[in-house]
Amino acid sequence: MLKLKYIWALFIIIGLSSCEQGKYDREIEPPVEVVSGEADFSNMVTLGASFVSGLSDGTVFIASQENSFPNIMAQQMSLAGGGEFIQPLVNDNVGGLLLGGNVIAGPRLYFDGSGPVPVEAVPTTEVSNIITGPFNNMGVPGAKSFHLVAPGYGNVAGVALGLANPYFARMASSPNVTVLEDAASQNASFFVISEIAGNDVLSYATSGGTGVDQTGNLDPSTYGPNDITDPNVFAQVLNTVVGTMTANGAKGIIGNIPAVSSLPYFTTVPFDPLDPSNPVFGPQIPTLNALYGQLNAAYAFLQVPERSIVFSETEASGVVIIDDSLPNIATQLTAVLIGGGLDIPTATLLGNQYGQSRQATAKDLLVLTSRPILENPLNEAYAAFLISQGVPPEQAGQLALNGITYPLEDKWVLTEAEQLAVNTATDAYNVSIAAAAAQKGLGLVDSKGLLEELATNGLASNGFVLTDDYVTGGAFSLDGIHLNARGYAFLANEFLKAIDETYGSNFEDANALVDIGDYPVLYSPVLR
Amino acid sequence: MNKILTVLAIFCGSLMFGQTSVSGTVSDSNTGDPLPGVNIRVMGTSIGNSTDFDGNFSLNVNEEVPFSLEFTFVGYQTQIVNVDGDRESLQVALVENATSLDEVVVSASRTPESIRESPVTIERIGIKDLKNSTSASFYDGLENLKGIDLNRGSLTFNSINTRGFATFSNTRFVQLVDGMDTSSPALNFVLGNLVGVNQLDLQSVEIIPGAASALYGANAFNGIMFMTTRSPFDDQGVSAYAKTGLTIQKAAGDHVYYDIGVRYAHAFSDKFAVKGSLTYLKGTDWYATDQAEYSNDFTAVGEPDEILPYRSSPSHDGINIYGDEITLAAAGADFGFSDLKGFGEFLESQGLLDPGLSNLLPEDNVGRTGYVEPAFTDYNAESIKYDVSLHFRPNADDLEILLNTRGGYGSTIYQGTNRYNIKNFLLQQHKLEIRNDDFFVRGYLTTEDAGDSYDMRFTGINIAKFGANQWFGEYLEGYLGGVLGGANNEEAHAQARIFADSNEATTPKPGSELFNQLFDEITSDGDLSTGSKFIDKTSMFVGEGNYNFARLLDDKWDLQIGGSYRRYSLNSEGTIFTDYDGPINYSEYGAYVQAIKKLMDDRLKLQASIRYDKNEFYDGNFSPRASVTFAVDEARNHNLRTSYQTGFRYPTTQDLFIGLDSGQGILVGSSPDNLDRDLPGTDLTGRKVYGDSYTLSSVQQFQATGNPAALVPIETGLVQPETIQSFDLGYRGIFGKIYVDIAGYYSKYDNFISNTFVVTPNTGTTADASGIADLITGNATGFQTYTNSKADISSYGASMGLNTRLWKKLDVGFSYTLAKFDFDQESDPDFSAGFNTPEHKVKFSLGSQNIVGNLGFNINVRWSDEYFWQSTIANAVIPQRTVGDAQINYSVPKIKSLFKLGGSNLGGKEYQSAPGSPFIGSQFFVSWVFNQ
């Protein structure tokens, strides 16, 4: 019977070893479940202006809305109980708006290989075709803080008059409802507020400071479109908005306002594009300096030598600009020039032309839109004016060169003083935002700090380094102010990370942030 | 023709002797069915013949009457018939063996013994099994034996694995044909049956799983297989087969193949006989088209690779895609960039790209697109085997002198580190042997010529090097075009690839004039940095002899002594070995003695043997073996066996003398003679590499951390022989009508031959800071060295076979095999054990020689567990599988023919033996065998 024992022993071996199943399955770490922490993403409402709406390349279009940072966030939140996120999608990928069939906002920009060009197509989004909400994304391009609580801001009838906002008008639940009311009525479980004060300074800045700093004026109804909103007005609106959104206990997160100096709109065009190696400009330098020699003598005589204009023959020189913070000395200048021997018409003309001008310095920011007029400097309107004043055409042409002989108008330049006004207001707004967030225990995203880092060292993510360079920086859209899809994706990740920090969700740890490489830098010219 | 020769032979014979002619029929005593293939021999002579398909035989005998005829047939009891004059229609009825225990095997003890007496586990197939084989070739059919795995790398090149640690290049397994080692002298492993035996000429196959070095010397390590051919004295006449069928595979489609063979043998007298055989096979090999990448970037040694789907990254390196190994990181190494962004910045610095644009580029490495394997081969599977031998028996007794030449020529695909198209190779063997029942002395020479063989991966790599810089430039252009046109990263990569690939000047399409021109240049160039040709004209001479003193000792003892000598002549013209200055020669020899003593009425058999081997590079090595077999009962129906075996293998010719620049590192063999020889691609010598280097892993750590303390200088030990000790325990016996064979073993391995990777400073030394300075300046070279692992490895397993016959007609077989190994990865973290064997295997067979009349059939079903395949090409888990083969056959004795219809992998579910190798599809065949 010895043999049988061996057989049984063998069967025991077989039995033991066949217990191990799937022994070669590699221990793959199970995907970490995405959790929302204390937050409830089931009904998110986002409130703000153009960034929230997903505006890119100068306008809003379907693709840009789909890549809005709130929508990107919502897609990731769907992994952690997030609900549907409905956006007021426009009609096409052309962008722009119609009102009563007339184009009131032009199509989006595309990159033609050298610069931004509007797509050759007609917008089809008719503002008066009111779409039915509610919309989770309440980002209203162009809205200033106080507009969020302004009745009638969504009234189609007011759009043509400039009393209402076309983007809100097409989505407002009724003509007199406010943006905040439409947001609040959705009873959000979670909200995002971003750059609601952005336009309170931005339109001032983008207009080259043509508006008025209304700090101290507490009545926004008296403000012009390009004015800076009083910080207390903003603070009051902010508190109303935050108070309303948190009334039912909703959690939320707020982003603050970036500094304009971080935006390529202000940093792309150099203050000193006048390069002596330029074959058109270079040879003219001696002539121009001879011309300005007389003017500079007059400035010296008037004790304002800092207004002197000299073009270097070895390095790039600053353009000539109007600085409306300078005293206008046209009369005195004219008198001195006459005293210097010029005939009265010429002296008057030059006195007016250079009475409030100086050469730009590194502290001046030229806006992106000034680039075409610097590339083709002849200001035909002014040349025509000069000719009408009896100046010979050739000389009129020479005196009507933008930034060289014809000082750049105020709207093209954000001077140091104007920047100061913007920055002061921005900082004040951001103090209010931080305070509101702290008071309500909300998350805070330091958009200002982020964009400063973007502009100084760049921001690295997923193998890309985003910078504030126009086009090649990879973060900003062609309008130079708003982000592109990749930039918005980055911003969405930053918001998600801040939510992680505030509410204990785990988007970052669960690898549930987006890969910014999945989002384009530019949109195709043929996208419609 | 044959008849005339026969007549002539008879005529010649009758001039000298009086002749007795005997004819008749042999049948099964039980069923009355005629028995084909029964051996008939005149006792005391070597004269004989065998029965035909009808069981008929005829014999003309010169012996004086009376004489005795011995009728032997596998599975039947031997019968002796006395003849006292001419006999016609002699009727012989053979009685079937009660048991298969009476089968005779030779190889286990180098002397014939019944299988019950065999001291070790042994598997055998004979002529009857050939008829029943469900596989298109008998070699493939070996897979149905218990404990035998077949690694299928190609239609024609399949590799046997017993007891694990095998790849397609199983250097731990020996295959002998009539005593000749058929392995390739340069590759050190056997090319399946491409250099083997024609099925018509096959007498038997015996396989001993486990170590057998005590009798068979080096490399009989994990197993040994013996193929024996038929003697022209015993099996005469013409036989032929023709086989055709279809191979069906998803990747390749359906292809017709055919296989024909002929054998002719004739004994002119009882002193002189000749034999010749020839086979020709042509078909289409299995395609290997796996485009996935097997990445071990984030997996530890001993874990399966991460399998990344096609194009999962821009630098995707598909396992059966060649040329995609050429990456931007490699191209940019000299310029200091390693990714697309770095390339852009480099172009900007050269003024070749507008400033700033590089910022839009990702930090992604990019690889060329490459070509899937079918671009590099027509998958021609072709095999010609020939065999001619002259046999002379000067005394018309058992003393025989024979001269034999055999060879294999053809094309196949072999998978090693890369996949090789073995094209028009020729391996020949020439043997002179003198033997009788007591001794043999033989010498044979094996020569090989790799013909037009080439490495398919390096073909792709060297084609991809063509125009690579331009291609990368166009890729970058395409990427930027994509981004500026609105693409995201993934889309931009896709557009860039399409754009760059569309330029046929850098990316020739397979079949285009440029592609063919490059292909021809590269595959005829043996320098791997520019070409892919495999040059090999290595040869090997073996002389060996054995004397059995049993007869001198009156069969009281069995005492054998023997010895062998082997000489290699490596000749690769400097392309594989460091033989740039002419062939490298080296030799080894061995001697052994074996004693067997039977006691207790032969029920107890004791056996002991020891072998001494010496290679000119190594100290002598003793391999002992001891075994006991014991028949528990007097009827010898229950037999136990146990043995202690040792085995060893010398480092292969490549381990010793390789000198090859693979592009990623230089491979340098570690024989003492190789250390001072020139190496390709470097001025360093092996001596410096083995004595004064850093480990690669420590250099990688240094590069990552910058901490010189991380560097580990290493003196790599020169490779030593690998050894194994094995304990076997087994039982063979009969329970009622069930034949049972059970075996278990435990093996322990020492000095497993392995590779290490080192980095050698070109001018400095690891002894001081000069080595570190070399690393910092990139003045260092990477090498792959050959050494032994410190790893503690053991393996154990068991097998059980059950066979029975039901209703006198139906043969049923079942076997189970367990194979496990034990290895502590921490004992040698970088060592890849490569057991490559399923833990559980179950095999089942059902068949009948003649279920109804002349109709026979057989079915084989094999299940094997999932297993982990580790090899240099990839590491992956091979899923479990069930494969079924079947055949039906019909014999037509009137025309001496057997017709068979068969198919393998009938389920059609394709399976892989290993990552990178083809998925094996189904194969159907019809065959006709004619046997005079």
Side-chain angles (χ1 to χ4, degrees):
Chain A
M1 290 313 288
L2 184 70
K3 313 163 287 277
L4 281 174
K5 273 186 187 166
Y6 282 113
I7 296 172
W8 287 119
L10 190 72
F11 277 113
I12 291 164
I13 295 171
I14 296 165
L16 285 177
S17 45
S18 53
C19 297
E20 305 165 38
Q21 284 299 312
K23 54 201 165 289
Y24 295 117
D25 293 348
R26 199 154 67 92
E27 282 185 39
I28 298 165
E29 288 183 26
V32 181
E33 195 195 345
V34 188
V35 296
S36 63
E38 298 162 37
D40 171 5
F41 303 136
S42 61
N43 183 18
M44 176 170 71
V45 169
T46 62
L47 197 57
S50 48
F51 273 47
V52 172
S53 75
L55 191 142
S56 277
D57 297 337
T59 184
V60 169
F61 48 103
I62 294 171
S64 80
Q65 288 177 293
E66 284 169 347
N67 289 328
S68 70
F69 82 86
N71 193 43
I72 294 171
M73 288 169 67
Q75 302 313 310
Q76 300 310 104
M77 285 174 170
S78 69
L79 303 170
E84 204 181 356
F85 190 76
I86 300 171
Q87 301 197 94
L89 294 182
V90 296
N91 202 35
D92 54 38
N93 274 312
V94 174
L97 294 171
L98 299 176
L99 180 62
N102 300 313
V103 176
I104 57 166
R108 68 185 173 91
L109 303 171
Y110 76 95
F111 186 69
D112 73 349
S114 57
V117 185
V119 297
E120 288 178 22
V122 179
T124 62
T125 304
E126 171 59 50
V127 171
S128 60
N129 287 345
I130 312 293
I131 53 176
T132 309
F135 297 101
N136 298 76
N137 191 338
M138 295 297 294
V140 177
K144 299 191 179 197
S145 57
F146 51 84
H147 289 144
L148 301 184
V149 293
Y153 194 58
N155 187 346
V156 178
V159 171
L161 304 169
L163 300 173
N165 180 303
Y167 289 101
F168 184 50
R170 64 182 285 272
M171 66 188 276
S173 61
S174 71
N176 277 321
V177 78
T178 66
V179 176
L180 181 61
E181 283 164 356
D182 265 357
S185 64
Q186 297 183 49
N187 202 16
S189 64
F190 192 86
F191 64 90
V192 174
I193 296 172
S194 177
E195 26 83 47
I196 58 168
N199 289 312
D200 296 58
V201 284
L202 189 67
S203 56
Y204 176 88
T206 55
S207 69
T210 55
V212 177
D213 181 356
Q214 296 284 8
T215 302
N217 177 358
L218 297 181
D219 181 6
S221 67
T222 61
Y223 294 177
N226 294 334
D227 292 355
I228 294 177
T229 306
D230 175 76
N232 289 321
V233 169
F234 167 72
Q236 199 183 349
V237 172
L238 177 72
N239 290 334
T240 304
V241 169
V242 170
T244 307
M245 295 309 290
T246 54
N248 63 355
K251 316 275 190 207
I253 187 155
I254 309 188
N256 67 11
I257 300 153
V260 293
S261 55
S262 312
L263 307 177
Y265 186 83
F266 299 101
T267 56
T268 300
V269 179
F271 78 95
D272 58 350
L274 301 176
D275 194 325
S277 66
N278 181 324
V280 180
F281 173 71
Q284 294 187 47
I285 291 174
T287 317
L288 289 166
N289 281 341
L291 176 78
Y292 281 127
Q294 217 170 354
L295 190 65
N296 292 345
Y299 284 142
F301 183 78
L302 288 167
Q303 313 248 315
V304 284
E306 67 277 7
R307 296 196 190 187
S308 297
I309 298 167
V310 179
F311 294 120
S312 166
E313 295 196 51
T314 54
E315 53 193 74
S317 300
V319 291
V320 182
I321 62 169
I322 297 291
D323 179 352
D324 61 2
S325 68
L326 297 177
N328 193 336
I329 54 169
T331 317
Q332 300 93 309
L333 188 59
T334 303
V336 172
L337 290 172
I338 292 167
L342 277 184
D343 59 275
I344 294 172
T346 307
T348 308
L349 218 141
L350 291 178
N352 286 332
Q353 192 160 336
Y354 298 106
Q356 212 173 6
S357 71
R358 64 174 167 86
Q359 231 172 331
T361 72
K363 291 175 179 169
D364 299 305
L365 297 176
L366 272 60
V367 299
L368 183 64
T369 42
S370 69
R371 186 149 77 176
I373 66 144
L374 288 170
E375 281 169 358
N376 296 303
L378 179 63
N379 188 325
E380 289 177 16
Y382 187 65
F385 166 76
L386 289 177
I387 292 166
S388 76
Q389 297 297 307
V391 179
E394 194 181 340
Q395 206 182 342
Q398 280 182 341
L399 283 172
L401 296 172
N402 288 320
I404 300 171
T405 52
Y406 182 65
L408 283 183
E409 294 161 65
D410 184 30
K411 63 177 179 178
W412 303 124
V413 187
L414 195 64
T415 62
E416 193 183 358
E418 291 162 346
Q419 291 168 51
L420 185 66
V422 170
N423 291 340
T424 305
T426 302
D427 290 345
Y429 300 159
N430 284 344
V431 167
S432 300
I433 290 170
Q439 193 200 340
K440 298 283 182 183
L442 304 175
L444 178 67
V445 173
D446 182 14
S447 304
K448 179 169 189 276
L450 276 174
L451 292 194
E452 274 167 3
E453 183 65 15
L454 182 82
T456 48
N457 299 320
L459 291 168
S461 179
N462 305 114
F464 293 93
V465 178
L466 303 181
T467 72
D468 71 336
D469 288 342
Y470 187 61
V471 179
T472 60
F476 282 94
S477 73
L478 293 169
D479 59 39
I481 297 166
H482 300 95
L483 299 177
N484 61 19
R486 191 167 291 173
Y488 281 132
F490 188 94
L491 191 62
N493 283 343
E494 292 300 320
F495 270 80
L496 292 172
K497 287 196 272 188
I499 293 170
D500 283 352
E501 200 173 309
T502 310
Y503 296 111
S505 57
N506 65 344
F507 291 103
E508 186 169 23
D509 292 344
N511 207 13
L513 300 178
V514 296
D515 180 345
I516 67 166
D518 292 344
Y519 296 84
V521 170
L522 295 162
Y523 289 100
S524 165
V526 295
L527 190 68
R528 290 291 183 268
Chain B
M1 179 63 192
N2 182 43
K3 270 198 173 140
I4 296 169
L5 283 172
T6 311
V7 169
L8 196 67
I10 294 166
F11 184 66
C12 290
S14 61
L15 281 178
M16 293 153 74
F17 301 99
Q19 254 196 350
T20 309
S21 88
V22 183
S23 63
T25 312
V26 182
S27 60
D28 183 315
S29 67
N30 192 15
T31 64
D33 293 334
L35 291 175
V38 176
N39 271 310
I40 303 139
R41 193 167 69 98
V42 181
M43 288 188 73
T45 75
S46 61
I47 314 247
N49 205 344
S50 55
T51 57
D52 63 11
F53 267 106
D54 294 318
N56 295 324
F57 71 95
S58 66
L59 209 58
N60 295 293
V61 183
N62 300 322
E63 296 289 311
E64 287 180 35
V65 289
F67 57 84
S68 299
L69 289 181
E70 184 186 53
F71 292 79
T72 54
F73 192 50
V74 172
Y76 287 80
Q77 292 173 12
T78 298
Q79 202 169 119
I80 292 164
V81 176
N82 292 316
V83 177
D84 48 13
D86 284 1
R87 287 286 298 270
E88 280 178 38
S89 61
L90 176 69
Q91 296 298 320
V92 179
L94 294 186
V95 180
E96 199 172 359
N97 277 336
T99 78
S100 310
L101 295 174
D102 297 311
E103 273 194 274
V104 172
V105 293
V106 179
S107 52
S109 307
R110 277 195 186 266
T111 185
E113 62 194 352
S114 77
I115 206 163
R116 66 156 62 82
E117 291 184 323
S118 167
V120 293
T121 305
I122 186 163
E123 300 293 328
R124 180 186 192 281
I125 65 167
I127 293 167
K128 191 178 82 175
D129 303 292
L130 286 183
K131 188 184 159 190
N132 291 338
S133 172
T134 52
S135 299
S137 82
F138 78 87
Y139 197 90
D140 290 353
L142 297 174
E143 191 174 13
N144 293 311
L145 299 174
K146 73 172 182 293
I148 311 293
D149 291 304
L150 199 64
N151 290 325
R152 293 176 183 262
S154 139
L155 186 66
T156 50
F157 174 18
N158 296 315
S159 179
I160 289 178
N161 166 23
T162 54
R163 299 201 176 173
F165 300 107
T167 59
F168 296 105
S169 48
N170 191 354
T171 53
R172 296 184 175 91
F173 187 82
V174 171
Q175 181 169 314
L176 303 176
V177 173
D178 290 336
M180 284 192 287
D181 183 346
T182 57
S183 66
S184 152
L187 300 173
N188 306 279
F189 58 84
V190 178
L191 296 164
N193 197 38
L194 287 166
V195 184
V197 178
N198 179 344
Q199 68 172 67
L200 299 168
D201 197 30
L202 190 74
Q203 179 71 36
S204 70
V205 179
E206 294 178 12
I207 301 178
I208 303 177
S213 290
L215 288 182
Y216 295 101
N219 303 346
F221 193 82
N222 270 351
I224 185 165
M225 169 166 158
F226 305 80
M227 289 193 270
T228 310
T229 65
R230 300 191 192 189
S231 163
F233 288 107
D234 296 339
D235 292 287
Q236 298 188 38
V238 174
S239 51
Y241 72 86
K243 209 178 286 184
T244 185
L246 272 186
T247 53
I248 299 173
Q249 188 204 22
K250 281 192 206 87
D254 300 355
H255 292 278
V256 174
Y257 79 99
Y258 52 89
D259 180 7
I260 51 176
V262 62
R263 174 185 186 269
Y264 175 74
H266 182 69
F268 292 95
S269 69
D270 53 7
K271 290 186 175 174
F272 183 60
V274 297
K275 175 174 84 168
S277 81
L278 184 70
T279 68
Y280 178 71
L281 176 147
K282 189 168 168 62
T284 302
D285 218 318
W286 308 117
Y287 284 34
T289 56
D290 186 356
Q291 304 196 13
E293 173 173 348
Y294 291 70
S295 164
N296 56 11
D297 289 350
F298 302 106
T299 60
V301 177
E303 285 184 332
D305 294 340
E306 200 177 345
I307 300 177
L308 307 171
Y310 180 60
R311 262 313 134 228
S312 55
S313 79
S315 58
H316 181 84
D317 180 4
I319 192 165
N320 294 130
I321 302 176
Y322 314 131
D324 56 359
E325 294 80 3
I326 297 295
T327 63
L328 194 56
D334 293 342
F335 304 102
F337 60 83
S338 62
D339 55 31
L340 200 57
K341 187 186 182 92
F343 183 38
E345 286 165 352
F346 172 75
L347 292 179
E348 276 183 25
S349 74
Q350 302 294 305
L352 297 169
L353 186 68
D354 286 343
L357 280 177
S358 66
N359 195 56
L360 291 175
L361 299 167
E363 291 164 355
D364 289 339
N365 189 14
V366 172
R368 290 208 66 171
T369 304
Y371 303 89
V372 187
E373 187 175 287
F376 301 110
T377 175
D378 55 7
Y379 288 106
N380 179 31
E382 196 170 10
S383 164
I384 296 174
K385 286 195 285 269
Y386 67 89
D387 175 18
V388 177
S389 60
L390 306 177
H391 300 246
F392 180 53
R393 291 175 171 174
N395 307 322
D397 59 10
D398 59 348
L399 179 69
E400 183 168 321
I401 301 167
L402 69 93
L403 198 59
N404 176 210
T405 181
R406 59 169 50 252
Y409 169 88
S411 297
T412 186
I413 286 172
Y414 156 65
Q415 175 172 327
T417 300
N418 297 327
R419 286 178 52 85
Y420 302 85
N421 195 3
I422 305 294
K423 189 176 176 187
N424 303 334
F425 80 94
L426 173 64
L427 191 145
Q428 297 189 88
Q429 296 191 292
H430 315 286
K431 177 175 79 164
L432 176 65
E433 178 169 336
I434 304 170
R435 68 176 181 214
N436 72 4
D437 290 346
D438 300 328
F439 83 100
F440 69 79
V441 180
R442 67 171 81 99
Y444 61 91
L445 177 71
T446 303
T447 63
E448 71 181 332
D449 184 343
D452 304 316
S453 301
Y454 55 91
D455 180 328
M456 292 195 279
R457 185 178 305 281
F458 272 96
T459 309
I461 286 172
N462 285 317
I463 287 181
K465 281 179 186 169
F466 177 80
N469 289 348
Q470 189 184 344
W471 188 90
F472 286 122
E474 286 168 354
Y475 189 98
L476 184 143
E477 190 185 336
Y479 184 93
L480 283 176
V483 168
L484 297 177
N488 69 21
N489 187 37
E490 191 181 328
E491 293 159 353
H493 274 299
Q495 288 179 26
R497 189 166 296 281
I498 290 168
F499 178 70
D501 281 344
S502 68
N503 183 354
E504 294 210 18
T506 60
T507 316
K509 302 277 172 285
S512 67
E513 200 178 321
L514 178 58
F515 184 92
N516 291 342
Q517 180 198 332
L518 291 168
F519 180 85
D520 292 345
E521 279 170 20
I522 289 164
T523 56
S524 53
D525 176 356
D527 177 353
L528 283 186
S529 62
T530 51
S532 64
K533 184 177 166 71
F534 183 62
I535 299 172
D536 172 32
K537 296 188 168 103
T538 296
S539 64
M540 169 178 84
F541 171 77
V542 178
E544 56 192 11
N546 177 287
Y547 195 92
N548 190 336
F549 293 90
R551 201 148 59 173
L552 296 176
L553 295 167
D554 293 333
D555 288 326
K556 287 178 188 156
W557 282 80
D558 181 298
L559 179 69
Q560 294 186 57
I561 60 166
S564 71
Y565 169 82
R566 184 176 282 229
R567 182 174 176 79
Y568 288 98
S569 182
L570 309 180
N571 183 1
S572 72
E573 298 173 12
T575 58
I576 302 168
F577 303 111
T578 56
D579 54 354
Y580 48 86
D581 53 356
I584 295 172
N585 300 308
Y586 73 97
S587 56
E588 57 198 43
Y589 60 86
Y592 58 89
V593 56
Q594 171 181 264
I596 301 173
K597 177 69 181 168
K598 293 181 183 175
L599 299 166
M600 293 173 63
D601 190 22
D602 292 358
R603 279 168 58 191
L604 180 67
K605 182 174 168 187
L606 306 174
Q607 182 177 25
S609 55
I610 190 161
R611 181 172 170 123
Y612 174 80
D613 282 276
K614 175 87 178 83
N615 171 298
E616 68 179 69
F617 305 119
Y618 301 108
D619 294 340
N621 184 71
F622 284 99
S623 322
R625 166 165 109 170
S627 66
V628 179
T629 53
F630 177 61
V632 178
D633 56 335
E634 275 187 27
R636 293 162 171 73
N637 280 337
H638 301 289
N639 303 277
L640 296 174
R641 61 181 186 271
T642 181
S643 65
Y644 166 73
Q645 309 243 26
T646 54
F648 79 103
R649 75 180 181 97
Y650 283 124
T652 64
T653 51
Q654 293 185 23
D655 297 339
L656 294 171
F657 281 105
I658 199 164
L660 189 149
D661 185 355
S662 75
Q664 274 141 358
I666 298 169
L667 286 56
V668 51
S670 81
S671 79
D673 284 14
N674 202 42
L675 297 182
D676 297 313
R677 298 182 70 84
D678 290 349
L679 294 171
T682 178
D683 292 332
L684 297 173
T685 61
R687 191 168 299 283
K688 164 93 172 167
V689 172
Y690 278 83
D692 189 10
S693 296
Y694 298 106
T695 65
L696 174 64
S697 50
S698 78
V699 170
Q700 285 166 338
Q701 212 180 337
F702 169 64
Q703 284 168 340
T705 63
N707 178 11
L711 289 170
V712 179
I714 181 173
E715 268 186 62
T716 310
L718 299 186
V719 66
Q720 295 294 316
E722 181 178 302
T723 61
I724 179 177
Q725 300 176 67
S726 182
F727 301 90
D728 284 54
L729 193 63
Y731 165 83
R732 259 185 222 102
I734 305 268
F735 285 88
K737 293 184 114 183
I738 303 176
Y739 170 64
V740 180
D741 186 352
I742 298 175
Y745 66 92
Y746 172 82
S747 300
K748 187 173 178 321
Y749 296 82
D750 282 305
N751 280 337
F752 232 79
I753 293 173
S754 66
N755 298 123
T756 55
F757 301 90
V758 301
V759 178
T760 312
N762 286 352
T763 51
T765 168
T766 59
D768 55 39
S770 62
I772 301 169
D774 273 3
L775 292 182
I776 293 167
T777 56
N779 186 29
T781 313
F783 291 90
Q784 176 181 320
T785 57
Y786 295 77
T787 186
N788 303 92
S789 169
K790 299 178 290 290
D792 244 349
I793 299 171
S794 59
S795 73
Y796 57 92
S799 65
M800 177 181 63
L802 302 173
N803 286 281
T804 192
R805 174 167 290 182
L806 302 173
W807 307 293
K808 293 183 179 174
K809 274 181 183 276
L810 213 51
D811 294 310
V812 185
F814 167 86
S815 76
Y816 165 79
T817 307
L818 168 77
K820 287 202 80 163
F821 83 114
D822 236 346
F823 161 52
D824 180 10
Q825 187 75 55
E826 283 177 17
S827 63
D828 189 349
D830 294 334
F831 177 63
S832 189
F835 186 58
N836 298 357
T837 302
E839 186 171 324
H840 305 287
K841 286 190 289 279
V842 174
K843 297 174 183 178
F844 173 78
S845 71
L846 176 70
S848 173
Q849 291 242 59
N850 33 23
I851 186 82
V852 184
N854 291 332
L855 194 69
F857 79 98
N858 205 29
I859 295 167
N860 288 109
V861 180
R862 298 177 298 279
W863 173 82
S864 64
D865 201 359
E866 68 172 11
Y867 58 97
F868 179 36
W869 182 278
Q870 287 177 289
S871 64
T872 47
I873 195 166
N875 307 297
V877 174
I878 303 296
Q880 60 158 307
R881 61 173 175 255
T882 305
V883 180
D885 307 340
Q887 59 89 8
I888 51 170
N889 65 67
Y890 188 72
S891 62
V892 186
K894 202 180 283 179
I895 53 169
K896 304 179 181 196
S897 295
L898 177 75
F899 297 92
K900 196 195 269 192
L901 174 66
S904 57
N905 193 9
L906 293 172
K909 186 155 189 270
E910 299 186 359
Y911 62 93
Q912 260 182 320
S913 283
S917 73
F919 276 88
I920 307 300
S922 303
Q923 192 175 6
F924 294 93
F925 62 93
V926 288
S927 71
W928 165 63
V929 180
F930 170 82
N931 206 334
Q932 190 185 31

